[in-house]
Amino acid sequence: QSALTQPASVSGSPGQSITISCTGTSSDVGGYNYVSWYQQHPGKAPKLMIYDVSKRPSGVSNRFSGSKSGNTASLTISGLQAEDEADYYCSSYTSSSTWVFGGGTKLTVL
Amino acid sequence: QVQLQESGPGLVKPSETLSLTCTVSGGSVSSGSYYWSWIRQPPGKGLEWIGYIYYSGSTNYNPSLKSRVTISVDTSKNQFSLKLSSVTAADTAVYYCARVTQDSSGYYMGMDVWGQGTTVTVSS
């Protein structure tokens, strides 16, 4: 299985909105509504931010939102804050009943 | 509050078998609502899903690692384990255990609980 494709880096100023894309195939992202997004700060374990394309776990800020169109999923962070600076990974369930991650995107808050 | 804790040797020699255990506290590995996963992250690189196990013992693995990976569960100890054979330097990584929750309708809810990770270095 091939890793999902994410941009290596994105950046934005405080208060702005940014979007991170995650492109797969019809065998993963496009075929299931099981896309999730994880935030990882340096030296820390990943944290679930979005699951099932657009659902937020309890305690996650509503500034984080997810969507999907075809084989591409997206994570949008609105009202960017300094604490949002981190690496973000998408993940999808696959037709082989496995999971696959994206390569990760480094978010820089300017 | 469910917590996961990885444990095992931090240094493994090339060609040997890497063995790690994840201890589940505050919850039961025998619950039918969860899949128990292993994920790794090489230094400076992204996350790689290794595989999962269900309490019944059913497993599934990353095709690229399938020939070398075994995941097992010990319900009496509330633990699940990872074995990776014939390791090389490329297997040097932080290894995480994580829980995938499945709701009552059968929908997966992402990897919602993670261990803190344990660093494994493959070197002679």
Side-chain angles (χ1 to χ4, degrees):
Chain A
Q1 57 191 30
S2 299
L4 307 176
T5 300
Q6 298 181 233
S9 63
V10 298
S11 62
S13 299
Q16 288 186 333
S17 295
I18 63 95
T19 297
I20 300 172
S21 62
C22 171
T23 302
T25 68
S26 58
S27 295
D28 39 63
V29 174
Y32 304 91
N33 287 325
Y34 291 137
V35 176
S36 47
W37 290 90
Y38 302 87
Q39 176 192 65
Q40 186 181 36
H41 287 110
K44 300 295 186 181
K47 174 187 176 183
L48 178 66
M49 305 301 285
I50 296 287
Y51 68 95
D52 293 0
V53 175
S54 61
K55 298 177 182 176
R56 274 189 313 275
S58 174
V60 172
S61 170
N62 59 9
R63 297 186 298 105
F64 292 82
S65 62
S67 62
K68 189 184 83 168
S69 178
N71 296 336
T72 298
S74 298
L75 172 71
T76 297
I77 308 174
S78 59
L80 210 54
Q81 299 179 0
E83 67 208 48
D84 300 331
E85 184 163 295
D87 294 327
Y88 290 84
Y89 294 89
C90 62
S91 178
S92 176
Y93 186 72
T94 81
S95 58
S96 300
S97 300
T98 62
W99 297 87
V100 63
F101 284 98
T105 298
K106 181 177 180 60
L107 169 61
T108 300
V109 180
L110 302 171
Chain B
Q1 180 85 357
V2 175
Q3 293 185 317
L4 307 182
Q5 178 67 59
E6 305 89 349
S7 59
L11 181 64
V12 181
K13 290 182 169 55
S15 80
E16 294 189 345
T17 296
L18 177 161
S19 296
L20 297 175
T21 295
C22 183
T23 300
V24 180
S25 58
S28 174
V29 75
S30 299
S31 170
S33 300
Y34 309 117
Y35 289 77
W36 305 97
S37 295
W38 287 97
I39 300 101
R40 71 180 183 178
Q41 185 171 34
K45 296 188 178 181
L47 301 171
E48 180 179 32
W49 180 79
I50 298 171
Y52 66 65
I53 189 165
Y54 194 52
Y55 80 99
S56 62
S58 172
T59 57
N60 206 351
Y61 304 129
N62 185 324
S64 68
L65 298 170
K66 189 172 185 176
S67 63
R68 300 194 291 131
V69 173
T70 302
I71 297 176
S72 58
V73 64
D74 187 335
T75 55
S76 66
K77 294 182 179 179
N78 218 28
Q79 297 175 333
F80 61 105
S81 299
L82 168 70
K83 290 188 185 301
L84 181 65
S85 64
S86 305
V87 297
T88 69
D91 295 310
T92 293
V94 176
Y95 284 77
Y96 295 99
C97 55
R99 183 186 80 174
V100 175
T101 295
Q102 189 175 38
D103 68 14
S104 56
S105 300
Y107 291 101
Y108 297 110
M109 300 173 66
M111 297 172 198
D112 58 351
V113 180
W114 292 66
Q116 65 184 29
T118 188
T119 299
V120 178
T121 301
V122 178
S123 175
S124 56

